[in-house]
Amino acid sequence: MNYETYLCLDQLLSAQKPQSVAHKRPAHDEWLFIAVHHAYEIWFKQILIELDSVLMKLSSDRIEERDMDVVVARLERVNKIFHVIAGQFDILETMTPMDFLEFRDLFTSASGFQSFQFRLLENKLGLRPDDRLTYREKPYTADLSPAKSRDVQAAENSATLFNCLDQWLSRTPFLDAKEFAFWDEYKRAVDLMFKQDESFVCASENLNETEKSQLITNIQTQRQMFSDLFNERAYEEQRTRGTWRLSYRAIHAAFLIQLYRDQPIFHLPFRLITEVLNLDSHLTQWRYRHALMVKRILGNRMGSGGSTGEKYLRETTEKHKIFEDFYKLTTFFIPRSRLPQLPETFARQLDFAFKR
Ligand code: HEM
């Protein structure tokens, strides 16, 4: 075995086949266009390998602590890859719109829309079919080969990162601690915070009556938002409408972990949530970067796959979000100084330190 055979370089390097060369009207930039797409697909493949290993560990009913470290490390790797590949659009942008038009007609209706690896990635992360934008009233799998379409649909119905996280969060044991009923305590702390804020506003000598009434109205609006979150029925109604996606128990755990992230036992779970947020933001940045590049190269032209082009891609940056709940949660964080104090006995359960 040598470098060439180990890496199957003959296959890899003979896969760039510009249509412009085949049609005897060579367009220099088509080499770049193909190389950049190939580079992306290879990175998508690596991301899928990492994600599959993460899903394998997270989909188990019981996750060992040492596995959590691996899960976090692999998601961190996925994020590093995303960071690097978002920058690769810079290279493609050295191709001008006129250079692109030299060969655009030759790949006819081929489009990134048919990237089955990208669809697998979206589905394995947890993008639901009903949340997808559609165009030409066809399912997003319509232009995939039957085998690829089956794989992509199978991923819709298998373990997804979103569902695994939801289930893992719901299993958090500390939510049921006898010493500390977290959700009730949190409700009380929020209520106290608003009462103190209201008293502060009413007693203030620096505010006139109009300013006071404006501030009291703001506090009441916030109170209402919190009370919708604290009421399970209201939460479930919002969930049915699609405002929230996480289960109610998972929401509680996500709060507990993030509000008390200084506690040793929450360090890894907190990092996991952070990596998931990073992943969501990287994917959105990728979509946005791609959309911007498309606008620069295609203007308002339709895509080769038949969509509205840049408009469709820009809309996916908003509509195809998967982990939005984790961002929304922060609306309901309160300052550390106003959090309920953890009882000593409970705090000890969250500590790894060996104490005599
Ligand atoms: C000159 C460069 C490019 C242009 C003009 C372009 C254009 C487009 C357009 C217009 C779409 C929307 C679907 C359609 O109607 O065809 C699309 C989708 C897509 N493209 Fe590109 N693209 C370019 C480069 C790339 C590269 C380098 C990749 C990397 C793999 C890529 C991956 C994708 C993916 C995955 C989609 C589906 C996005 C979704 O449905 O959310 N594109 N592209």
Side-chain angles (χ1 to χ4, degrees):
M1 178 143 302
N2 65 18
Y3 183 81
E4 188 183 324
T5 52
Y6 177 64
L7 295 174
C8 305
L9 285 184
D10 275 349
Q11 280 129 293
L12 184 70
L13 300 178
S14 56
Q16 294 73 41
K17 297 187 167 62
Q19 284 297 305
S20 61
V21 173
H23 285 80
K24 302 203 179 351
R25 37 174 265 214
H28 177 84
D29 282 23
E30 196 183 356
W31 288 102
L32 178 76
F33 184 71
I34 295 175
V36 172
H37 277 86
H38 277 170
Y40 270 110
E41 289 293 341
I42 288 179
W43 280 125
F44 288 163
K45 179 170 179 177
Q46 190 59 37
I47 291 175
L48 287 168
I49 290 170
E50 304 298 343
L51 199 54
D52 278 342
S53 76
V54 163
L55 290 178
M56 181 105 86
K57 292 189 185 299
L58 281 186
S59 55
S60 142
D61 284 346
R62 195 187 138 76
I63 306 168
E64 297 294 332
E65 201 62 22
R66 65 174 70 87
D67 280 344
M68 287 298 289
D69 193 46
V70 176
V71 163
V72 170
R74 295 205 174 143
L75 287 178
E76 212 175 336
R77 181 180 289 165
V78 168
N79 281 319
K80 297 266 186 226
I81 297 175
F82 258 119
H83 178 71
V84 167
I85 63 177
Q88 292 184 13
F89 287 121
D90 286 346
I91 308 175
L92 204 49
E93 277 176 353
T94 62
M95 175 178 75
T96 67
M98 293 303 282
D99 293 331
F100 184 49
L101 289 178
E102 292 288 298
F103 62 92
R104 192 197 180 207
D105 58 321
L106 297 175
F107 58 79
T108 61
S109 58
S111 159
F113 197 78
Q114 297 141 14
S115 166
F116 68 91
Q117 293 205 105
F118 190 74
R119 298 298 173 221
L120 280 177
L121 171 61
E122 291 178 318
N123 288 353
K124 284 172 191 265
L125 290 179
L127 182 62
R128 296 172 295 192
D130 290 348
D131 292 339
R132 283 184 181 279
L133 289 168
T134 50
Y135 65 77
R136 288 186 290 143
E137 266 126 61
K138 285 205 292 188
Y140 72 100
T141 49
D143 293 331
L144 300 180
S145 71
K148 297 293 188 268
S149 172
R150 262 197 308 278
D151 288 352
V152 164
Q153 275 164 342
E156 275 174 8
N157 304 313
S158 310
T160 67
L161 186 59
F162 183 92
N163 289 343
C164 287
L165 275 177
D166 188 296
Q167 284 153 20
W168 166 74
L169 284 167
S170 307
R171 290 195 303 266
T172 302
F174 304 103
L175 293 174
D176 306 314
K178 276 200 289 308
E179 304 85 342
F180 185 67
F182 164 63
W183 202 235
D184 293 338
E185 295 290 341
Y186 193 50
K187 274 186 218 173
R188 261 195 287 280
V190 168
D191 189 48
L192 182 64
M193 179 185 79
F194 283 134
K195 279 193 180 126
Q196 287 171 341
D197 288 354
E198 278 162 357
S199 314
F200 179 79
V201 169
C202 293
S204 171
E205 289 170 6
N206 301 324
L207 298 167
N208 63 36
E209 287 311 309
T210 321
E211 287 166 336
K212 282 186 185 177
S213 123
Q214 182 61 52
L215 286 171
I216 295 289
T217 310
N218 290 351
I219 295 173
Q220 279 163 358
T221 311
Q222 284 188 55
R223 253 187 194 283
Q224 186 54 47
M225 280 164 56
F226 272 84
S227 85
D228 285 347
L229 177 78
F230 288 143
N231 177 330
E232 186 167 0
R233 181 128 39 101
Y235 180 87
E236 289 304 341
E237 275 167 18
Q238 291 188 50
R239 203 166 160 226
T240 320
R241 289 200 302 274
T243 314
W244 291 100
R245 188 171 167 189
L246 283 168
S247 64
Y248 201 47
R249 217 179 133 80
I251 284 275
H252 296 184
F255 270 104
L256 181 67
I257 292 166
Q258 294 190 84
L259 298 177
Y260 294 97
R261 73 180 171 97
D262 298 341
Q263 300 300 321
I265 210 147
F266 293 142
H267 287 181
L268 261 183
F270 178 75
R271 280 185 56 213
L272 176 55
I273 293 178
T274 307
E275 287 309 327
V276 168
L277 279 168
N278 291 344
L279 184 53
D280 196 73
S281 99
H282 275 128
L283 187 55
T284 307
Q285 284 174 47
W286 187 92
R287 289 187 195 280
Y288 193 63
R289 239 354 228 101
H290 176 250
L292 270 184
M293 181 200 62
V294 168
K295 186 171 190 172
R296 185 171 171 154
I297 293 187
L298 283 187
N300 292 332
R301 273 195 174 88
M302 277 177 70
S304 50
S307 79
T308 51
E310 184 268 338
K311 179 174 180 294
Y312 159 78
L313 294 168
R314 191 168 18 90
E315 283 170 5
T316 64
T317 61
E318 276 305 313
K319 184 86 174 35
H320 289 186
K321 282 188 186 289
I322 301 163
F323 301 100
E324 190 66 1
D325 282 8
F326 288 95
Y327 290 91
K328 282 201 300 223
L329 283 184
T330 54
T331 323
F332 302 95
F333 287 179
I334 62 173
R336 258 201 193 93
S337 57
R338 291 170 133 175
L339 284 178
Q341 283 282 320
L342 300 180
E344 178 67 27
T345 46
F346 183 63
R348 228 179 293 131
Q349 293 174 39
L350 309 179
D351 201 345
F352 287 137
F354 175 70
K355 289 191 183 122
R356 284 178 197 279

